[in-house]
């Protein structure tokens, strides 16, 4: 039986400034594992995002539409949040957090995050996924730097994101 109670809802939180092919790879994997994926874009003013919340939301929505059209993946949605992540997860009835792991350098921070989220909300489980090798090195911050210095970002992001990055390149 698959009533509402048994649906596995997973939240994939991040700044998504902007969404990359690394995020997209993680999303494709998560979409196979869980019934519903909710991408949760953190307002995250502390990180000084270069894209506004509205822009980040639009770019993520375009990626969701592309995954639906190109890969027939239809169980991903996006929302924004500016509360504690654990409170957002409760609100949307999710018991799973998805995080992507890249190099060893991600580990320390992720370990702290799991520790904190688990003590705030013991029922929440964090699942780590790794992108395929060719996307593992991609990070939003490095892509912004490449764009700023006039490099080609098209291998790392969707055409829509690449276009936006070119528009922003001078002010990054
Ligand atoms: P945050 O500000 O929370 O780090 P990001 O938007 O940078 O948000 O990343 C969201 C999540 O996606 C994080 O768990 C991050 O490790 C993961 N991620 C980002 N890029 C990649 C990638 N290339 N491969 C695997 N995971 C990634």
């Amino acid at each position: 039986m698959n009533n509402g109670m048994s649906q596995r809802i997973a939240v994939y939180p991040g700044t998504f400034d902007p969404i990359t092919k690394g995020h997209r790879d993680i999303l494709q994997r998560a979409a196979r594992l869980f019934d519903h994926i909710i991408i949760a874009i953190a307002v995250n003013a502390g990180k000084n995002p270069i894209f506004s919340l509205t822009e980040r939301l639009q770019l993520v929505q375009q990626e969701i539409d592309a995954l639906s059209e190109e890969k027939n993946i239809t169980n991903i949605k996006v929302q924004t949040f500016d509360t504690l992540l654990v409170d957002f997860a409760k609100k949307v009835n999710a018991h799973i957090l998805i995080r992507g792991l890249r190099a060893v350098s991600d580990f320390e921070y992720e370990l702290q995050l799991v520790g904190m989220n688990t003590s705030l909300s013991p029922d929440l489980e964090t699942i780590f996924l790794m992108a395929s090798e060719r996307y593992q090195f991609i990070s939003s911050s490095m892509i912004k730097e490449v764009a700023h210095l006039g490099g080609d970002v098209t291998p790392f992001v969707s055409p829509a994101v690449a276009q936006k990055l070119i528009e922003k390149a001078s002010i990054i």
Side-chain angles (χ1 to χ4, degrees):
M1 201 175 75
N2 211 359
N3 61 24
M5 297 294 286
S6 62
Q7 296 274 303
R8 285 176 191 268
I9 303 168
V11 167
Y12 180 34
T15 313
F16 301 100
D17 186 47
I19 188 165
T20 69
K21 288 188 178 176
H23 295 126
R24 181 183 158 116
D25 183 293
I26 297 296
L27 277 169
Q28 280 179 257
R29 289 165 201 279
R32 282 199 291 267
L33 295 171
F34 305 106
D35 297 311
H36 299 285
I37 311 295
I38 300 171
I39 302 173
I41 306 182
V43 173
N44 236 343
K47 270 199 168 183
N48 281 326
I50 64 154
F51 291 99
S52 71
L53 190 60
T54 310
E55 288 172 317
R56 286 181 279 149
L57 185 62
Q58 274 169 359
L59 293 171
V60 167
Q61 187 59 56
Q62 284 178 16
E63 209 73 64
I64 292 174
D65 295 343
L67 283 172
S68 164
E69 277 156 36
E70 294 160 22
K71 307 273 177 186
N72 206 21
I73 294 171
T74 56
N75 58 344
I76 306 175
K77 290 199 166 70
V78 59
Q79 291 191 35
T80 63
F81 73 106
D82 64 356
T83 58
L84 272 177
L85 178 57
V86 295
D87 291 337
F88 176 81
K90 263 185 212 137
K91 192 182 87 179
V92 298
N93 208 13
H95 298 283
I96 302 148
L97 288 181
I98 308 283
R99 295 290 290 175
L101 266 189
R102 284 164 293 194
V104 184
S105 52
D106 278 345
F107 184 78
E108 188 109 4
Y109 174 71
E110 295 295 338
L111 187 71
Q112 287 186 2
L113 207 59
V114 174
M116 184 55 73
N117 286 332
T118 305
S119 54
L120 291 170
S121 181
D123 290 341
L124 203 54
E125 202 64 62
T126 302
I127 308 278
F128 291 99
L129 297 172
M130 291 181 94
S132 78
E133 224 174 330
R134 66 196 159 125
Y135 297 133
Q136 271 188 32
F137 63 93
I138 300 176
S139 72
S140 298
S141 53
M142 198 166 286
I143 285 168
K144 285 180 275 188
E145 200 164 323
V146 170
H148 175 64
L149 297 171
D152 178 20
V153 292
T154 55
F156 317 122
V157 295
S158 71
V161 171
Q163 182 57 43
K164 276 270 184 194
L165 276 166
I166 291 165
E167 288 166 22
K168 293 256 180 193
S170 56
I171 60 147
I172 299 174

